[in-house]
Amino acid sequence: MFTKYINYIRENSNFETYISEFYLPESLAFIRDLGILDDFKERNFYGFISQMIPIIESHFRYCLGLVNEPYITPNGIGGYDFLPMKAFLESNVIREKLGINAIYILKLIYDDRRGLNYRNKLAHGIINPLNVTEVEANLVFLTLIFISYFDQKLN
């Protein structure tokens, strides 16, 4: 359904204007400057998702900070490690503010082995760049639109 909507926008409106004007909070505004959305617009789906998934994970850590949840942890050798996406998806505070349905959708797309598990597949080199589909890229694009409003919900 979402793919049909994106295709409708591509074919029946000025998609470039849409890509350049949809709302991004200040914390994600750099995405336009880096040209990542150009990859999506030009149907370079692997280029788009391979850049966006780490940015999405980083933004989830940023959101943990917005609600005063930890986003780093001591690593046992005198330093710190960043918490993975799972910390955001399992946070009770985040779940309370965003709702369980939002968390389930994000887990389905990025984290759950029973789902699409894109974050882990990308991180471990399991995604074949030649096989990334428009549907997968559209889910990541939908996530970008979705997380653009997290700052407002979490403050």
Side-chain angles (χ1 to χ4, degrees), residues 63-64 66-69 87-88 90-99 103 153-154:
C63 289
L64 284 170
L66 289 177
V67 296
N68 297 314
E69 291 272 297
F88 173 85
E90 293 181 352
S91 165
N92 290 329
V93 175
I94 297 292
R95 180 179 295 137
E96 181 181 306
K97 292 191 176 270
L98 299 180
I103 299 302
K153 287 186 161 209
L154 298 176

Side-chain angles (χ1 to χ4, degrees), residues 48-124:
F48 174 69
I49 72 164
S50 66
Q51 295 174 83
M52 279 307 308
I53 291 174
I55 290 170
I56 289 167
E57 183 167 20
S58 176
H59 192 70
F60 287 170
R61 283 191 291 270
Y62 168 79
C63 289
L64 284 170
L66 289 177
V67 296
N68 297 314
E69 291 272 297
Y71 56 89
I72 57 173
T73 185
N75 63 14
I77 57 172
Y80 290 89
D81 291 330
F82 287 101
L83 291 172
M85 187 180 282
K86 187 177 279 305
F88 173 85
L89 296 172
E90 293 181 352
S91 165
N92 290 329
V93 175
I94 297 292
R95 180 179 295 137
E96 181 181 306
K97 292 191 176 270
L98 299 180
I100 192 68
N101 290 344
I103 299 302
Y104 282 153
I105 289 168
L106 293 170
K107 279 185 172 189
L108 167 77
I109 296 170
Y110 295 102
D111 183 62
D112 198 305
R113 290 181 191 161
R114 297 165 295 185
L116 301 171
N117 204 13
Y118 287 161
R119 184 259 176 222
N120 291 324
K121 287 179 181 176
L122 181 69
H124 299 290

Side-chain angles (χ1 to χ4, degrees), residues 4 15 25 32 78 85 106 111 122 139 145:
K4 286 182 181 179
F15 192 60
R32 282 200 181 95
M85 187 180 282
L106 293 170
D111 183 62
L122 181 69
L139 286 171
I145 294 170

